[in-house]
Amino acid sequence: MTSFKAVQEMVLFCLEEEIIDDEEFAVLYEEYTPQNLPFPHCQYDTFSLLNKDPAECKADFRVEKADIPLLIDALRMPPEFVCGNGTVCDATEGLCILLKQFAYPCRYSDMIPIFGRSVPELSIISNEITDWLYTNHGHRVTHWNHDILSPAMLDVYATAIYNKGAALENCFGFIDGTVRPISRPIINQRAVYNGHKRVHALKFQSVALPNGLIGHLYGAAEGRMHDARMLALSNLYDELENFAFFPTGAEMCPYGDPAYPLRVHLQAPFCIGILTRDMQIFNDSMSAVRVSVEWLFADIINYFKFLDFKKDLKIGLSQVGKMYIVCALLRNALTCLYSNSTAEYFGLVPPTLDQYFS
């Protein structure tokens, strides 16, 4: 097969020999210019955040231009990343590449005009930053975060939820599972098939807090797994038994749907037998505030639309589970910067970036 370079050289030769005119040369040369040129030969400028328009920056990266340096400082990203193949990028460019990829479904070739890098470089850098964020900050959502889940903060959350009309005085958050569709895998299709949603998917379990943050996240689990099974595998209940207490020592709990077992540190609605009027009032009051967990699930997908394009989510070829966790972490960061509907509904102010990533 003739290479692009050989064809371009032939076109240049034909122009010099006046076999083709200037207009024909321009058309042919453009036609045989690869779209993922290596950086040294790329016709685009290198990326500079200073040259980005603020409105364009918010649309491309979901973050205000002035806040990107603040996010980098809070994340304590190193000044420079060196990828496995030797590709080098600074923290600002690396984070922006990742944010652009997650912001909306796009091909790496569509990002070349913005960053002036080839498709392989963009892919390698994106994976490198994803791995770094997951390794260095993933524990803030995948493990019990003692900064935002301290007894004093749990007391604040419970008070805010109770003040919105909830029947429980010791409920500090809401637990639920979410199904994220993925591309149908070649093997083990049955393991990831969710019969309820009728899609191939991965499942995640989240604890939503009234200040708009995801307090705990478990996943990725097989799409067919029941929520109660995810609860057991996540070891979340063990952590609740160890840490979910008022400053006075009284037990606290998250509230879930009927799929979860009823325990001291985990509450669910009445759903067995004939419900009395008091039982129905309890269910209605808790249901009215529990909807906030769905708002947080929607926030992750609305801000990082890449996760909603299942054709690009192929297990075995991309880090699907890790990407969702990183996006949840970034969504928490955006909440610290700009708040969200959940925090406004309960009247709580999220922590600052420095407080959250301390």
Side-chain angles (χ1 to χ4, degrees), residues 52-338:
K52 292 284 289 183
D53 181 80
E56 185 183 5
C57 187
K58 183 64 180 294
D60 283 345
F61 309 136
R62 304 300 196 210
V63 183
E64 297 286 355
K65 180 177 179 179
D67 293 331
I68 289 180
L70 299 180
L71 181 56
I72 291 172
D73 289 342
L75 291 169
R76 295 173 177 80
M77 299 180 72
E80 188 176 81
F81 286 87
V82 180
C83 303
N85 70 335
T87 298
V88 179
C89 73
D90 60 39
T92 301
E93 183 183 16
L95 181 61
C96 288
I97 288 174
L98 183 70
L99 291 171
K100 174 60 179 174
Q101 181 201 359
F102 287 157
Y104 201 80
C106 66
R107 297 170 295 182
Y108 284 117
S109 58
D110 298 329
M111 297 164 58
I112 293 176
I114 300 176
F115 298 101
R117 288 184 179 270
S118 66
V119 168
E121 283 181 309
L122 291 171
S123 176
I124 291 169
I125 292 171
S126 177
N127 290 334
E128 181 74 18
I129 304 300
T130 299
D131 289 339
W132 187 89
L133 287 174
Y134 179 83
T135 302
N136 290 274
H137 296 288
H139 64 277
R140 301 184 189 278
V141 290
T142 58
H143 295 79
W144 190 269
N145 189 328
H146 292 277
D147 293 324
I148 63 172
L149 296 175
S150 65
M153 292 306 301
L154 295 182
D155 191 3
V156 172
Y157 303 150
T159 301
I161 293 172
Y162 181 72
N163 289 341
K164 290 300 291 187
L168 289 174
E169 298 182 15
N170 66 336
C171 172
F172 68 84
F174 308 96
I175 183 172
D176 199 7
T178 183
V179 177
R180 296 309 319 152
I182 61 172
S183 179
R184 184 175 65 182
I186 299 176
I187 59 175
N188 294 331
Q189 295 181 13
R190 185 172 296 179
V192 297
Y193 185 76
N194 184 278
H196 177 62
K197 300 289 186 179
R198 298 185 178 181
V199 292
H200 293 88
L202 296 177
K203 292 190 70 175
F204 297 86
Q205 173 187 276
S206 296
V207 175
L209 303 177
N211 64 349
L213 295 179
I214 296 172
H216 192 279
L217 177 65
Y218 171 75
E222 298 171 349
R224 65 180 180 178
M225 188 174 293
H226 192 271
D227 286 355
R229 176 63 176 162
M230 277 203 301
L231 175 68
L233 292 178
S234 67
N235 293 321
L236 174 61
Y237 193 77
D238 293 337
E239 295 181 315
L240 291 170
E241 288 184 318
N242 291 327
F243 307 118
F245 294 93
F246 280 107
T248 58
E251 295 87 354
M252 302 189 72
C253 65
Y255 181 83
D257 60 26
Y260 291 97
L262 188 62
R263 298 288 187 271
V264 172
H265 288 280
L266 180 60
Q267 294 295 302
F270 294 100
C271 58
I272 299 177
I274 300 175
L275 300 185
T276 66
R277 183 174 180 274
D278 288 342
M279 290 178 179
Q280 191 61 54
I281 291 174
F282 174 90
N283 286 354
D284 291 344
S285 69
M286 295 306 299
S287 177
V289 291
R290 184 184 168 276
V291 69
S292 61
V293 70
E294 302 294 345
W295 298 345
L296 287 186
F297 287 151
D299 280 346
I300 296 175
I301 302 304
N302 289 337
Y303 274 78
F304 301 110
K305 287 286 189 181
F306 180 84
L307 297 176
D308 206 25
F309 189 64
K310 69 177 185 179
K311 290 184 179 180
D312 262 1
L313 303 178
K314 301 176 180 179
I315 55 175
L317 296 179
S318 58
Q319 309 172 92
V320 182
K322 187 180 292 186
M323 287 191 295
Y324 187 89
I325 293 173
V326 168
C327 284
L329 179 71
L330 292 172
R331 177 58 253 187
N332 276 359
L334 294 182
T335 299
C336 293
L337 285 171
Y338 313 122

